Amino acid sequence: MKYTQLGRTGLKVSRLVLGTMNFGPQTDEADSHAIMDAALETGINFFDTANVYGWGENKGRTESIIGNWFAKGGERRDKVVLATKMYGNMAPEGDAWPNHDKLSALNIRRAVDASLKRLQTDYIDVYQFHHVDRSTPFEEIWQAIDVLVQQGKILYAGSSNFPGYKIAQANEIAARRGGTIGLVSEQCLYNLAERRAEMEVIPAAQEYGLGVIPWSPLHGGLLGGVIKKEVQGGRRASGRAADTLADPTSRAQIQSYEDLLEKHGIEPGEAALAWLLTRPGVTGPIVGPRTAEQLASAVRAVELELSDDLLTSLDEIFPGPGPSPEAFAW
């Protein structure tokens, strides 16, 4: 496994991030624990979760599964850089109550204590804002975060799904307050097929020293060899991938992508991850393996070297927006 600094911090993290969103809803606790053990064995030390994972009536279940794994000992907690997120309402479905969501100082205090309890730990390495809260000023947010840092409950703060201007606003206000490090990471939708983050989000993250953590690196399975699997009678596309393949132009684009990688003898999913690892500012993509082979495939991507010719061909199939601001200025 290869490692890098998380943005401008001194924190060393693996170039792959273990995503845990499926722990509970799709992967039972025993299998989830096995995946986390296997991730550590391969050198993955950066784990990502969120308080709402588990979803519906089971919100918080994923954090509890991770907490039970930490409780097994074996230096599991010490070896992991733990990131979780808060924003969503954690009250039972249909029982939402004011101040049980978003980024008020009250909810930040409530949410972090609940996450610490479920995770069975006394600190969170990277505490992330899952979405923008347009109602709460950053002065209040940073005051709450400063208290948590002083209490030793969190070490760093990060964002998720933030536009570029909010990254800038958050860190400018943090700088004016003094003594607040501000955001150190941004978790955003970014992959070969979805490159809008290159317009504003990634330039802002680079300018302010945030590590970029792409989610959905295979774009809902679309970049994982979906047509080949379909032809071979394997798992059929569903959700966003199925909707995309229903469009003839998009299907032809994905077919060109798979044909190109077959020519080079590279698995599509591994190429998609390896491509992200070549992108400026990217710390590491979030991978959510359901099996040991999927985890092994993701790890192989870290060592995969994509030739300049192949990178050029990928850009031709999935053209990005171009440099910012020229891409939208003229």
Side-chain angles (χ1 to χ4, degrees), residues 236-258:
R236 295 185 64 83
S238 60
R240 178 170 54 199
D243 293 341
T244 300
L245 291 179
D247 174 66
T249 301
S250 297
R251 186 180 184 90
Q253 183 184 40
I254 299 302
Q255 186 68 68
S256 296
Y257 166 72
E258 293 189 15

Side-chain angles (χ1 to χ4, degrees), residues 28-235:
D28 65 24
E29 182 158 339
D31 287 342
S32 299
H33 287 189
I35 289 171
M36 287 186 281
D37 282 334
L40 275 191
E41 288 173 7
T42 65
I44 296 174
N45 76 333
F46 198 5
F47 289 16
D48 176 75
T49 192
N51 60 356
V52 294
Y53 290 173
W55 311 109
E57 295 297 323
N58 294 309
K59 286 182 286 191
R61 175 62 180 147
T62 302
E63 285 189 333
S64 295
I65 288 173
I66 297 170
N68 292 339
W69 181 73
F70 284 149
K72 290 182 175 182
E75 299 184 328
R76 285 174 169 83
R77 178 64 188 96
D78 289 342
K79 293 178 179 178
V80 168
V81 174
L82 176 63
T84 192
K85 299 182 285 290
M86 60 82 60
Y87 177 92
N89 199 303
M90 292 297 291
E93 293 297 312
D95 192 28
W97 194 251
N99 301 312
H100 276 78
D101 63 358
K102 300 186 179 177
L103 304 181
S104 69
L106 175 59
N107 192 50
I108 288 174
R109 174 181 176 178
R110 175 188 289 119
V112 74
D113 285 342
S115 283
L116 290 170
K117 183 176 181 180
R118 286 189 293 266
L119 291 163
Q120 299 188 51
T121 185
D122 56 4
Y123 73 100
I124 293 162
D125 296 281
V126 186
Y127 199 48
Q128 303 163 113
F129 311 131
H130 212 155
H131 295 284
V132 169
D133 181 358
R134 295 178 176 86
S135 303
T136 305
F138 276 109
E139 288 84 356
E140 176 180 345
I141 293 169
W142 288 129
Q143 183 181 49
I145 292 299
D146 287 347
V147 170
L148 298 185
V149 171
Q150 291 161 9
Q151 291 174 334
K153 293 181 178 180
I154 72 169
L155 301 182
Y156 304 97
S159 58
S160 180
N161 306 307
F162 271 36
Y165 83 95
K166 280 295 181 181
I167 291 172
Q169 183 184 44
N171 276 18
E172 288 297 333
I173 291 174
R176 289 202 297 269
R177 283 176 50 81
T180 298
I181 192 172
L183 299 173
V184 302
S185 63
E186 160 60 19
Q187 191 177 125
C188 60
L189 175 61
Y190 184 38
N191 55 57
L192 263 170
E194 175 49 82
R195 297 176 61 171
R196 286 178 294 178
E198 294 175 359
M199 297 283 281
E200 289 280 2
V201 175
I202 292 174
Q206 289 184 277
E207 185 71 22
Y208 286 94
L210 278 66
V212 175
I213 306 169
W215 60 266
S216 195
L218 303 187
H219 207 50
L222 199 64
L223 300 172
V226 64
I227 296 177
K228 179 180 178 181
K229 293 174 184 175
E230 188 179 88
V231 170
Q232 293 176 343
R235 185 181 180 190

